[in-house]
Amino acid sequence: MTVSFEDIRAAQARIAGQVDRTPTRHSRRLSQLTGAEVWVKFDNLHFTGSFKERGALNRLLLLDADERRRGVVAASAGNHAQALAYHGGRLGVPVTIVMPHGTPFVKIDGTRAHGATVVIEGDDFSGSTAHAHALAAERGYVFVSAFDDAGIVAGQGVCGLEFLEDAPEIEDLVIPIGGGGLIAGSSIAAKALKPDLRVFGVEAAMYPSFSARRRGETPVCGGQTIAEGIAIKAVGDIPFALADPLVEDVLVCQEEAFEKGVAFFATLEKTVAEGAGAGGLAALLAYPERFAGRKVGIVLCGGNIDARMLAVVLNREMVRERRLTVFRILGDDRPGMLSAMAAVIGGLGGNIIDVVHNRLALDVPAKGAEFDIMVETRDSAHADEIGQALKDKGYALRMG
């Protein structure tokens, strides 16, 4: 099965006026951060929060009258689910979505809000997919893959088409890979418009299915990744066949890079990215030498992150930058001890967030105590300044 540039052009015309054309803009802040000239396509600004709308709508519009009446079923961790549910509701097509256990609540609630029937089944995407196929066989639904479908791939290719139309100067295009629909479609479109453009994929280290298949290996996948949107154990057959000859390289990123990507989108671009959505930026942070000085386009492909997880990621980044630092101080357990330490910290502009006073640590004398003081600082140098001041006052401490 193949998808051509003409198929993508046809999809663009088919969905026109029903899906937002998301903005593409040059980011001076991310360019300064990464050493590349960075353009971002903000697909997190779609109504359902991710790039999936184009493919979902294109696939639904290709259904015949009988298939529309029977309805569709899909397996999804959330973004394909919400896109299919939203456009299915608009078009009057019944939608059933099977989601794995552990799917973020924001994606479950968003899918139900669009009128879809949600079934929680399977420990991962593979388990949910098996159950969705069983429902299709049992109830006559049309199974709509999140990525392994020519209609889906053609629809997702409109992303790459729009990107090159809006930023024709880019030399590299960096796209996260889960099942492969986005990179397959976008690669076809982008390379048709600019044959010398380089396309890079991004995978989570826990789920390197595309890169393993390229090497002829069985991928070793598993674990809880913040990039759950691309946590796919097996890349789709159709997307792989289409994308493999067009993709320059696949960059595998660790969790820290995805977390940093989420945090920098929030703090520098003032926009929300989910873990998978931040994959393009994660790759630029993890492999800066590959893109230094080049004109790079990254697709911020989704923003559906749970609010609690976003808060955790932002706080973890503050810890990495030592803007949140724990000073563990061993001292005497006597009146005024804590206020004296607080005076040193406050005198240098540190903001005390939390204090844990432990009298029962067995490596501390019975008449002593262990104080864990979490302090908000300006930066690493400020944390060092406060630590040195505490040492100069005679406190025995370590910094976390």
Side-chain angles (χ1 to χ4, degrees), residues 56 59-60 63 66-75 80 84-85 87-88 93-98 116-117 132 135-136 140-145:
R59 184 65 182 87
L60 287 169
L63 295 173
D66 178 62
E67 290 172 329
R68 289 192 180 202
R69 177 189 58 77
R70 285 153 48 199
V72 300
V73 64
H80 178 60
L84 205 61
H87 288 292
V93 179
V95 176
T96 299
I97 301 294
V98 184
T117 299
L135 289 177
Y141 300 145
V142 176
F143 178 79
V144 177
S145 171

Side-chain angles (χ1 to χ4, degrees), residues 319 322-331 338 341-342 344-346 348-358 369-391 395-400:
V319 171
R322 298 184 66 211
R323 290 187 293 139
L324 279 180
T325 299
V326 175
F327 298 94
R328 173 164 289 179
I329 302 174
L330 306 181
L338 185 58
M341 292 184 289
V344 175
I345 295 168
L348 290 173
N351 182 30
I352 295 176
I353 302 297
D354 190 27
V355 177
V356 177
H357 188 180
N358 183 6
E370 182 179 77
F371 302 85
D372 281 353
I373 306 177
M374 180 178 286
V375 179
E376 183 181 8
T377 67
R378 292 188 299 273
D379 50 30
S380 184
H382 189 209
D384 286 338
E385 181 185 3
I386 293 172
Q388 188 58 51
L390 289 166
K391 289 178 181 178
Y395 297 115
L397 69 110
R398 74 169 179 81
M399 295 164 61

Side-chain angles (χ1 to χ4, degrees), residues 8 24 26 34 44 75 96 121 126 129 191 199 223 251 277 279 282 345 386:
I8 295 169
T24 299
H26 179 259
T34 63
N44 60 329
T96 299
E121 188 66 46
S126 298
T129 299
K191 298 283 276 187
V199 179
L251 307 176
I345 295 168
I386 293 172

Side-chain angles (χ1 to χ4, degrees), residues 5 164 167-172 187-199 294-295:
F5 181 63
L164 267 292
E169 59 267 62
I170 64 173
E171 301 168 313
D172 299 331
S187 296
I188 294 167
K191 298 283 276 187
L193 293 173
K194 193 171 185 177
D196 60 345
L197 177 138
R198 302 190 306 175
V199 179
R294 293 183 64 84
K295 298 173 181 177

